[in-house]
Amino acid sequence: MAGPIRVIVHPPSPSGGRRVRVDGEILGLAHNVTDVAEFLRRAGLEIDPADVADVPWIDWRGVGPEHWGPQAGG
């Protein structure tokens, strides 16, 4: 694979959880950083769940890694 890997964690869905995409492919709906780490492991990227929030190559869209449920209105 050429170039840097692009990991995007999308904003929380209205029903909870966040879509995880790697290089344009949706890997699944994560409900916590452990889910993100597992999706990345299945894609061949080993990462400790404790490190998921701090790596610079994960793009957290909308909100950071501490938000997983539906957003409150307002």
Side-chain angles (χ1 to χ4, degrees), residues 9-12 18 33 53 59-69 71:
V9 180
H10 292 271
R18 299 175 75 166
V33 293
D59 181 5
W60 296 91
R61 299 277 173 97
V63 293
E66 63 281 354
H67 298 283
W68 296 93
Q71 294 298 328

Side-chain angles (χ1 to χ4, degrees), residues 8-49:
I8 297 172
V9 180
H10 292 271
S13 73
S15 60
R18 299 175 75 166
R19 240 184 8 225
V20 178
R21 185 184 296 259
V22 174
D23 287 336
E25 179 182 346
I26 295 174
L27 300 183
L29 186 69
H31 293 277
N32 52 49
V33 293
T34 303
D35 289 348
V36 174
E38 176 61 16
F39 292 149
L40 296 178
R41 184 194 65 76
R42 291 178 189 176
L45 303 166
E46 292 292 332
I47 183 168
D48 188 293

